[in-house]
Amino acid sequence: MTDRLDEGQAQPPIRGLSTLGWAWTSYEQTDTVMRLFRKDLSTTRQVAVVEWLIDGEPFTERMRFPNGTPCNDMTLMHDAPHFPPAAVASLRALLSMAGPEQEPVDFSDGRVGLLFCHQCGDLYCGAVSASVVVSDSTVEWRDIAYQDGNTEEIGDAEVAAFTLTFERAPYESTITALLEDWTARAEDQRASTSTP
């Protein structure tokens, strides 16, 4: 039996568990058109992206290299036109749900991408990945590490693998709310691109 809380009632924290959240942020994207015999044309724009928050702090900060170099990888939830279906696939994978999506978001060893290439979102560029392990009361992102997209080798000598454990109900609630939003975005995108 699951106890239900009234809206607005805070759940007491369970020791050792992390809280998964998210926030909109942005990154600068530069697109370049190469032209023969003329100067290339470059345009720069800000692209909005959903960033994972762990206990209120950006997840990318936990992936920072010891020399201070930031992790440039990001979620697939951003406003670039071709990303809503990939975001849906990614969120479904974080809930351990199989889906019809064709976007590759997990490796052949079953590890799920958490953060992807900041330029193309392609898993084959490599990704920050983890094994998603679901129990009755918790969800773990186990052995979070960089994973090579070609060899699927796990780990980087400079950033040690680590595990995050979340209370299952709030985790699933967070991911499900995002999944509903991004599913609607993907459907809107399909509707706007299919002309009768």
Side-chain angles (χ1 to χ4, degrees):
M1 181 175 167
T2 303
D3 292 331
R4 296 195 152 251
L5 296 174
D6 294 330
E7 188 174 321
Q9 184 179 0
Q11 283 187 303
I14 297 175
R15 188 175 296 252
L17 295 182
S18 295
T19 302
L20 180 67
W22 62 273
W24 282 101
T25 187
S26 65
Y27 73 98
E28 194 172 89
Q29 181 181 43
T30 301
D31 298 315
T32 303
V33 177
M34 296 169 56
R35 305 181 319 166
L36 291 176
F37 308 112
R38 294 183 285 170
K39 184 176 178 180
D40 294 343
L41 294 177
S42 294
T43 57
T44 301
R45 66 184 182 104
Q46 291 295 313
V47 177
V49 62
V50 170
E51 180 169 36
W52 293 124
L53 300 177
I54 307 299
D55 300 326
E57 298 295 323
F59 177 55
T60 52
E61 286 299 315
R62 294 197 182 204
M63 298 306 299
R64 185 176 286 276
F65 291 94
N67 68 1
T69 303
C71 172
N72 289 326
D73 292 351
M74 63 183 64
T75 70
L76 294 177
M77 296 175 281
H78 52 92
D79 68 1
H82 60 287
F83 276 92
V88 169
S90 175
L91 291 165
R92 290 178 64 83
L94 291 173
L95 290 171
S96 298
M97 298 170 63
E101 295 84 3
Q102 299 301 309
E103 304 293 334
V105 294
D106 55 2
F107 290 93
S108 64
D109 62 2
R111 291 173 60 88
V112 175
L114 305 174
L115 300 174
F116 300 82
C117 173
H118 69 284
Q119 293 183 344
C120 67
D122 196 327
L123 186 69
Y124 301 108
C125 288
V128 173
S129 68
S131 295
V132 177
V133 180
V134 180
S135 75
D136 289 340
S137 60
T138 62
V139 175
E140 284 185 345
W141 287 356
R142 189 177 289 170
D143 298 324
I144 299 166
Y146 288 99
Q147 188 163 1
D148 186 276
N150 294 312
T151 66
E152 296 198 7
E153 185 177 314
I154 299 166
D156 184 301
E158 294 182 39
V159 181
F162 62 97
T163 297
L164 293 170
T165 305
F166 307 98
E167 187 174 359
R168 184 173 176 177
Y171 171 92
E172 288 181 344
S173 177
T174 297
I175 301 290
T176 300
L178 285 166
L179 179 59
E180 290 170 1
D181 179 52
W182 286 91
T183 298
R185 288 170 186 254
E187 289 170 2
D188 289 349
Q189 181 186 43
R190 273 193 290 274
S192 69
T193 58
S194 63
T195 54

